Amino acid sequence: MNSSSGQPLRLLGVFAHPDDETLCAGGTFAKYASAGAEIHVISFTKGKAGQIRDASAATRATLSAVRENELEAAAKELGLTEVRCLDYPDGGLCDIDNEIRVGLASALISEIDPDVVITFGADGFSGHPDHIAVGAEVSTACYELGSATSIRLFHCHLPRSRMLLRERLAEWVVGLTARFKGTKDFVRALSVFSRETTGLGYAADFVNLEWFPSGSYLIEQGDAATTMYFLLSGQVEIRREGEDGRVQVVDRSGPGEFIGEAGIATGLPRNAHVVAVDDVTSLTFSASEPGPVGGRGEQAQRLRTRSLPSGDEIDARVSTCIDVSDFVGHKIRATAAHRTQYPIDPRMFPDSILQEMFGVEYFIQVLPERGLHTSLLDE
């Protein structure tokens, strides 16, 4: 509740595309909605320039309408009060006059009269120029309205995680009682999930799509275990070489199966060769040093001057962390509701991995501005 008015707390999220609300603050929205807050979300565009990762979900001609419907579906999962999709050009928000964008943001804020506004910071969360444009104009509007309101403005922030997804997946697969073989839907889902989460910085792996011609080695026996593979197509043979030099085929693997997970989970050298029988394509998981967050637009450098106990690195300005561990399921189901962008089944992935990745959301408080200290010893 708003302590001064006694009315339900009202939150407004202003973003660029359908799905931004879920990725940036989905857990926080679900948490506050469950406690009775009103949650309003505005998307400046309908996302018609976005990728179509599920060809059965939309065509280029229908994408705008489909993504608008996906936002409505995600809103139900998060418990949002209202969502709106405006129809400004996806990928072209920077081309709209600043005064028009600020005026629009001001009108929306004045209409909804929120207690809290959440939007993008200068880094655009993922470096996307549309994100940066929306965040800048919403922030300007909040500053201009600040003298007449008591708005609390927060910028959503994504830390750069040091968690290695390959290690968590390896531990999961090795711990199963039966050999894991993913369905076609799992193959597609893992491809999207792993590349998006590592690209955004939820995990520190480098995930690449590799091709191995027939007869080539993926793994050589005795090598250090540094990489894990998830087969997308083709067959491989597992060949074990004895001390006498004789090589014996001990197993075969194909699409939907992990290769090299035992070495990653145990840290021991490779205990067999893995050789491509056919031409093979694979998702390859390897460790990489944290770098700039990968976005679909221009890259935005982040200040990483503060480390969390987990080793994750965050902007030193981060002021707020929200424990959303009880609402990770809402966030993942809302993500899956944006099917054109994330064709995943939220039940496919272990809860332990999802909790570690998405259990906390971070924000930078922008308004109200903090007053100056009057002593060197003020906390």
Side-chain angles (χ1 to χ4, degrees):
M1 302 291 288
N2 184 315
S3 59
S4 60
S5 68
Q7 298 298 312
L9 191 69
R10 188 176 298 121
L11 277 66
L12 170 62
V14 186
F15 303 103
H17 315 101
D19 78 13
D20 291 340
E21 80 296 330
T22 300
L23 295 179
C24 295
T28 299
F29 287 148
K31 181 172 185 171
Y32 278 82
S34 74
E38 294 181 13
I39 314 289
H40 301 259
V41 164
I42 310 294
S43 173
F44 263 50
T45 80
K46 296 185 177 182
K48 63 183 177 183
Q51 300 179 57
I52 304 176
R53 290 196 172 99
D54 182 353
S56 67
T59 65
R60 188 52 59 186
T62 65
L63 185 59
S64 292
V66 170
R67 293 197 72 180
E68 190 169 9
N69 290 335
E70 289 175 343
L71 179 58
E72 294 281 355
K76 292 179 181 179
E77 296 291 350
L78 298 177
L80 307 186
T81 306
E82 177 202 19
V83 292
R84 299 184 208 172
C85 265
L86 308 182
D87 200 14
Y88 288 88
D90 185 4
L93 292 180
C94 292
D95 299 329
I96 301 172
D97 184 82
N98 285 356
E99 291 187 6
I100 294 176
R101 296 200 308 260
V102 172
L104 173 60
S106 296
L108 290 169
I109 294 167
S110 297
E111 174 197 346
I112 295 171
D113 189 25
D115 301 294
V116 175
V117 174
I118 296 176
T119 190
F120 303 107
D123 59 12
F125 197 75
S126 66
H128 196 302
D130 279 354
H131 296 182
I132 295 169
V134 168
E137 307 318 329
V138 171
S139 298
T140 299
C142 286
Y143 271 102
E144 292 181 353
L145 294 168
S147 59
T149 66
S150 56
I151 290 174
R152 297 175 67 84
L153 171 64
F154 291 86
H155 289 163
C156 44
H157 175 75
L158 180 62
R160 189 71 187 185
S161 174
R162 290 186 179 276
M163 186 197 86
L164 288 171
L165 182 58
R166 61 171 192 159
E167 293 181 356
R168 302 299 184 269
L169 289 170
E171 291 165 2
W172 171 52
V173 173
V174 169
L176 297 175
T177 56
R179 183 173 179 177
F180 180 84
K181 184 173 178 64
T183 63
K184 288 184 178 179
D185 285 342
F186 183 86
V187 171
R188 177 171 62 177
L190 181 61
S191 178
V192 172
F193 179 80
S194 61
R195 297 174 84 175
E196 282 291 305
T197 54
T198 56
L200 286 169
Y202 285 110
D205 306 74
F206 177 70
V207 180
N208 196 19
L209 182 65
E210 292 195 62
W211 175 74
F212 300 89
S214 175
S216 62
Y217 282 96
L218 281 73
I219 290 173
E220 291 192 55
Q221 187 172 328
D223 284 353
T226 59
T227 304
M228 186 172 72
Y229 304 86
F230 182 70
L231 301 182
L232 302 177
S233 67
Q235 298 282 327
V236 299
E237 284 186 346
I238 316 301
R239 302 175 182 177
R240 188 155 291 131
E241 185 173 345
E243 294 181 1
D244 59 1
R246 294 183 181 181
V247 177
Q248 182 180 3
V249 176
V250 296
D251 207 349
R252 290 174 71 101
S253 293
E257 295 184 79
F258 288 95
I259 298 295
E261 73 280 5
I264 295 297
T266 64
L268 298 175
R270 304 298 194 184
N271 61 13
H273 303 294
V274 178
V275 179
V277 176
D278 313 307
D279 290 350
V280 167
T281 54
S282 167
L283 282 178
T284 304
F285 296 81
S286 56
S288 62
E289 290 296 321
V293 171
R296 297 189 186 95
E298 297 175 2
Q299 300 297 326
Q301 294 295 324
R302 291 193 177 182
L303 298 174
R304 297 192 183 92
T305 57
R306 181 179 176 189
S307 293
L308 301 174
S310 63
D312 295 351
E313 296 175 343
I314 61 172
D315 191 311
R317 297 169 298 167
V318 167
S319 61
T320 308
C321 65
I322 306 295
D323 180 356
V324 297
S325 53
D326 290 340
F327 300 92
V328 169
H330 296 73
K331 182 176 179 119
I332 298 303
R333 290 192 297 273
T335 301
H338 292 286
R339 185 161 185 83
T340 56
Q341 310 304 299
Y342 304 99
I344 63 173
D345 181 339
R347 299 167 297 179
M348 289 179 174
F349 303 106
D351 186 63
S352 59
I353 294 178
L354 299 178
Q355 286 288 337
E356 187 172 359
M357 281 185 164
F358 307 118
V360 178
E361 292 179 342
Y362 295 90
F363 302 91
I364 298 170
Q365 181 180 321
V366 181
L367 291 174
E369 294 179 291
R370 296 178 180 180
L372 294 174
H373 291 311
T374 58
S375 166
L376 297 178
L377 302 179
D378 283 349
E379 294 183 357

